Each structure stands twice: as C-alpha cells, then as structure tokens.
Amino acid sequence: MNEIKLTDSDMAELRTAFFMQTEEILDNLQQQIMAVENNPDETNWKALKRSFHTLKGDSKAMGFDGLSTFAHKVEDFITGLNGRDPDKTFIDLLFECADSLKTFCDALADGKKPDVSGILLKIDCHRKGNGVTRNEEGLSLRPDKTFSKSLPFLKIEPERVDRIMNLVGELVIGRSMMSRITTDIDNLDKDQISSRLDALNLSFERTLSDLQRSVMKVRMLPVAVVFRRFPRIVRDLSAENGKIIRLRIQGENTEIDKSIVDVIGEPLLHIIRNAIDHGIETPEERKASGKKEEGLLCLRAFHQGNQMVIEIEDDGRGVDTERLKENAVQKGIVSMDDAKKMSIGETTNLIFLSGFSTARSITEVSGRGVGMNIVKDVVESLRGIIDITSEKGKGTTISLRLPLTLAIIKAILFTYGNEIYALPLISVTEIIRVFPQNLETIAGSPVIRHRESVIPLITMDGKSVNNGKSFIILIGIAQMRAGLITERIIGEEELVIKALDDRTSTGIASGASILGDGRVVLILDPLYLMKKRMHDTEYKNHPPLSPLIKGGKGGYHASCIMDHTS
C-alpha cells in the first residue's frame, strides 16, 4: 500500500483549516459553558463534551500532541461532574480552561510551545477537592476581553457559490451573443442591430446586477460572529463590579460586510464596559430607586434601508448632563456661558471627546476618558453615525448606524465649478434650493435658517458664496449638521469605491470612483467637511455639535427637492 506524502503546501492548507475550525470551536465553547451554567441538562453537557472531544481528535491528527492531551484532560474533568449541578467555581474553571485553550492555539499558530502546567494543576486540585489555587505558573488565565485579529478567510455556503457560477454562465452566453452580432453585422440593418444590442444590454445589466449582489453576499457575515463573545464578558464584568446584569441579544443573524465585522468588536466592547461600569447601578442602588435588582443590557441589530443599526440599551442611571457640563468647564473644554447654552444632545456628545470622563476613580474597565473617543473614531472611519439618547434615572441607548458594505455606496452627484463630486447618501438629510436673500452671515461665516435651526454652510473653495441660485445639500452625522453649497444636482448613483493611495489621498476625499462615461469623481468625506468648517470659524472651541443656534423667526421659503429622513 502506497504511503501518502504531503507537501509543505498541503500541510500549510491543513494547518489553516485546523486553526479555522479550532477558532469556531473555541467561540462556541463560551456559549456552551454558559448554557451548562444556566441549564445543566444532558443536552448541554453532551454539546460541551463534544467540543473538547473534537478538539482532542483534530489536534492529535495534526500532530499537536500537547494540545490533544490538554483537551483530553479537560474532557475527563467534565465527565467527572456530568449529571450534577455545577457550582460557580467549576464554571469559572471551565472558562479558564477555554481561555487557556485559546492561548495554547494562538501560541501554536506562532510556532511556540506553551506551558499548561498551571491550569492542569488547577484541574487536579479541583478534582481532589482541594479548591482552586491562585498563583500557579503557566498560561495567563485572564479572560479574553479583547478582540483578536480575524483570520484571512471566509466560510462560504455552497448555495452562494452555485449562484455565482450560474451568473457567470449567463455572462458567457452573453459574450457568445455579442460575438454572433459582430459576425452578422454586415447582414443586418440598423434597426436589427439596435434591437439586438438593446436586448443584450438589458441582459448584461440584469446579470451584472445579480452578480454584484451575489458577490457582496459572499462577504456578508452574521453579526453573531461578534455578539457571541459578549455573554461571557458581561457575566465576568458584572461579577467583578458586584452587579446583577442580564444580557439580551436580538437580531444576531443580521448580516454585515466582513470588513466591518472585523473592526466593530472593540467599539462595542467599550460601550458595553461603560454601560456596566457607569450605567447600570448596583442591586442596592436599583432597589432604593424602585427598580429590579437585576439590570438589563440589550444588544440588538437590524437593517434599516441600506444601513445596519446596532443598538446598545441599558436600564441604568442614565447620563447626568449637569455633571457632564461641570466636568467640561473644570477641564477647560467649554466656558461657563457656553455650558449654560448647550442642549441635552450637545452635552451628551461631550463623552466622545478624548480624555473626557466623569468617573470618580479609574478602574481596569473604564475611567480614563479614551474608550468612547475610540468608539467615535472607529465608527466615523467606517462612514457610520453614532448617536446617544438618555434619560436620567431611566437608562441610555447608543445607536451605531453603519453601511452594509464599504465597497459600494449610494451617493449624490453634484457640480461645483467645472468638477463633479459625490457625497455619500447615508449622510444626506435633505436637499434645498435657495436664493441669495435666504443666506445670512454670523461672525463672517455664511449660515442659513432651516426648520428653526441655524445651520453653518460650507463652500468647496472655502471662499465665496455664489450670488445666484444655489442648491444646498444638508448633511448630518450624529448631532452635527451643515449645509454644502453646490451649483447643480446631477442625481443619485451607485458608486464602486476606489481607495486613494498616499500620494493622492486628501482629507477631503474618502475615495474615488469612475462614472459610466469614464470620468473620475471624488467621493467627499462629510465628516471632514464639517470638522474643517468648525475649525475655520469661531465655533472651533466647541465640541463637534450642531445645530448651533436654536429658535428665532425669519425663516425662508425654499423648494424641497428630496428628503431622505423619512
């Protein structure tokens, strides 16, 4: 019988597949352990044992004997308690085993040989009834409360691949039809050629649209890939803070682009940490205020138009806006007079400023004033919007609005000067037509009154305002509002984003695209435009907030072209 010899390339592929499978098993372990803690029935015990058994067999087949032995020890440890109700010490030790297995696998992937003597000693002590020791040597057993970099591959359902293959087949048929038209062109009159080309163009348009959607779906992953890590984190952090918190997850099967999944975990982790540390009260505080001792933290995801919305809601103490103002004045962020004029929305947005915190003490979880600033930066880098609604004594809801994909966007095309520009539709709230008499000036900067608010205006050249009829694109990100002055609105179009390299990249443009006629169009970054506008005016010392001035009469008559807020 011939011996099968594997090349280095074969082994590399097997290693990649092994670590991919292992990561999925380790992610599922967290949920399975919590399932046993909440309901230690036979089904949950079997699922837990099956995961360790699979890991043991796969690692043995790959030649990772140390990992196989470790998984076997944990499997025996579980078998010894099978059928009995586990106590908290046992569950904590199981979580430590899962953490150690992850650390073990990460070390193997880096070509290292980890030491697991510490966790094995803990298992032995627990089985002998001597309790769990605390300072053994070996792997670091701190729970993993960070999000590791994702592996560079995707698991794709066969049905999605089959769909793409079918569409590619239709394109091949279309190419044959085009070749036939080219061959017969001398024997066809103008009307026949036009008719056949129109039919072929419609076929290509339909097939390419379907192919585009199918390829984009290949990159889509359920947000559960991120959400499933939070039950363990909430469990551990609530115990550390002496709080009773129940996590409710909704919409975990909602899909979003893999590139967003890879980076959204850390911002969500910062928000959840803040909710546990600052938002939800201790059982004693909740009972005194007439609430249930158990706090509720809700994490939900859903699609809304061409956006993915992720909401993190808690029923805690809410945001104390007066305390936020006091801290802002003490830190010199705003003056006393400005603080008195700030609206609730403007005050709440102070928490996104770097170094700003209302925590009375710094803890391992929060209090340094950097977490929410990181959240804001990441969300904005994804061309998303973050918003906060809060009621003192009732709770807080933080909403993240993210594009479903970063590869293709819907945009508004407009002209200024002799150039065409694009603005992401996700940031456009309204388009209005105005005349010179509608414009006003405050501190030398152009503004316009609209819907009982004064909105600052932006010009592409940063200098003058057109004296004739203009169109203003109202843009909004979170609480920020501004109006971009344009000369002509071309319309709405779907654009494929091309990244700009370091030599051509500018802050004002987040990318570029190619139109159907071959012209290149810059895709403007609305956040950069608004920040630049604020930096160039007297409002630059304010936090990034707007509307700047509320109320007042003297509104103007304007024709509303389109409104995307409804």
Side-chain angles (χ1 to χ4, degrees), residues 233-296:
I233 291 172
V234 171
R235 173 190 182 272
D236 291 346
L237 290 180
S238 58
E240 290 174 11
N241 285 269
K243 299 178 180 180
I244 305 173
I245 300 174
R246 176 165 56 94
L247 176 64
R248 178 188 296 164
I249 295 179
Q250 300 172 335
E252 63 266 29
N253 292 324
T254 307
E255 292 188 330
I256 194 168
D257 193 281
K258 179 183 182 295
S259 59
I260 298 177
V261 168
D262 289 344
V263 298
I264 200 61
E266 285 293 341
L268 290 177
L269 178 58
H270 283 297
I271 295 173
I272 288 175
R273 279 174 166 171
N274 270 4
I276 295 173
D277 203 36
H278 299 308
I280 298 178
E281 311 94 330
T282 63
E284 295 76 18
E285 291 173 325
R286 293 180 65 84
K287 190 174 181 180
S289 60
K291 297 181 179 180
K292 294 181 179 179
E293 292 186 3
E294 180 184 67
L296 177 63

Side-chain angles (χ1 to χ4, degrees), residues 501-550:
D501 60 28
D502 293 338
R503 293 172 296 174
T504 57
S505 178
T506 62
I508 195 172
S510 59
S513 188
I514 301 175
L515 301 179
D517 58 7
R519 285 183 294 177
V520 175
V521 58
L522 286 179
I523 302 171
L524 303 180
D525 182 351
L527 181 64
Y528 178 90
L529 291 174
M530 286 190 280
K531 286 185 175 180
K532 181 77 165 58
R533 166 64 170 80
M534 293 174 62
H535 183 270
D536 293 340
T537 66
E538 66 173 338
Y539 303 112
K540 64 183 178 180
N541 292 323
H542 286 249
L545 312 166
S546 208
L548 299 172
I549 305 174
K550 285 283 187 182

Side-chain angles (χ1 to χ4, degrees), residues 91-336:
I91 294 296
D92 289 343
L93 186 52
L94 277 184
F95 275 127
E96 289 186 358
C97 290
D99 293 335
S100 297
L101 281 169
K102 177 172 175 53
T103 306
F104 201 135
C105 291
D106 290 343
L108 288 176
D110 293 335
K112 301 176 182 177
K113 293 182 179 181
D115 176 19
V116 293
S117 58
I119 186 64
L120 291 179
L121 181 57
K122 282 192 174 188
I123 293 174
D124 289 339
C125 288
H126 191 280
R127 294 178 69 176
K128 294 175 182 178
N130 296 331
V132 180
T133 56
R134 293 293 173 188
N135 298 311
E136 298 87 351
E137 295 295 326
L139 286 175
S140 172
L141 302 177
R142 294 189 57 79
D144 180 19
K145 296 189 179 69
T146 60
F147 285 78
S148 58
K149 195 171 183 179
S150 63
L151 294 173
F153 45 71
L154 278 170
K155 292 184 69 175
I156 304 173
E157 298 173 1
E159 293 80 9
R160 296 190 178 186
V161 177
D162 293 341
R163 174 65 176 162
I164 292 175
M165 287 298 297
N166 290 336
L167 291 171
V168 171
E170 292 186 27
L171 289 177
V172 172
I173 294 173
R175 185 183 63 182
S176 299
M177 293 171 64
M178 177 64 76
S179 298
R180 185 61 182 268
I181 294 174
T182 304
T183 302
D184 297 343
I185 195 167
D186 293 334
N187 302 321
L188 301 173
D189 59 32
K190 184 178 179 181
D191 290 339
Q192 290 176 315
I193 294 173
S194 177
S195 176
R196 291 174 66 173
L197 285 177
D198 284 343
L200 184 57
N201 181 61
L202 287 174
S203 176
F204 271 133
E205 184 177 340
R206 182 182 65 254
T207 303
L208 286 173
S209 295
D210 289 345
L211 183 60
Q212 174 187 310
R213 284 192 293 269
S214 297
V215 172
M216 294 308 299
K217 283 185 177 180
V218 167
R219 290 180 53 85
M220 303 292 274
L221 293 175
V223 76
V225 174
V226 179
F227 282 9
R228 65 190 179 194
R229 305 188 186 188
F230 292 125
R232 162 78 187 285
I233 291 172
V234 171
R235 173 190 182 272
D236 291 346
L237 290 180
S238 58
E240 290 174 11
N241 285 269
K243 299 178 180 180
I244 305 173
I245 300 174
R246 176 165 56 94
L247 176 64
R248 178 188 296 164
I249 295 179
Q250 300 172 335
E252 63 266 29
N253 292 324
T254 307
E255 292 188 330
I256 194 168
D257 193 281
K258 179 183 182 295
S259 59
I260 298 177
V261 168
D262 289 344
V263 298
I264 200 61
E266 285 293 341
L268 290 177
L269 178 58
H270 283 297
I271 295 173
I272 288 175
R273 279 174 166 171
N274 270 4
I276 295 173
D277 203 36
H278 299 308
I280 298 178
E281 311 94 330
T282 63
E284 295 76 18
E285 291 173 325
R286 293 180 65 84
K287 190 174 181 180
S289 60
K291 297 181 179 180
K292 294 181 179 179
E293 292 186 3
E294 180 184 67
L296 177 63
L297 183 61
C298 187
L299 181 61
R300 66 175 69 93
F302 55 91
H303 286 155
Q304 192 173 79
N306 291 319
Q307 294 177 305
M308 152 78 87
V309 181
I310 300 177
E311 291 182 344
I312 305 93
E313 180 182 2
D314 69 70
D315 64 348
R317 56 174 60 92
V319 177
D320 188 340
T321 54
E322 291 304 316
R323 190 172 170 208
L324 284 175
K325 290 181 182 180
E326 290 175 8
N327 279 37
V329 172
Q330 291 174 3
K331 295 177 183 291
I333 296 174
V334 295
S335 66
M336 181 67 75

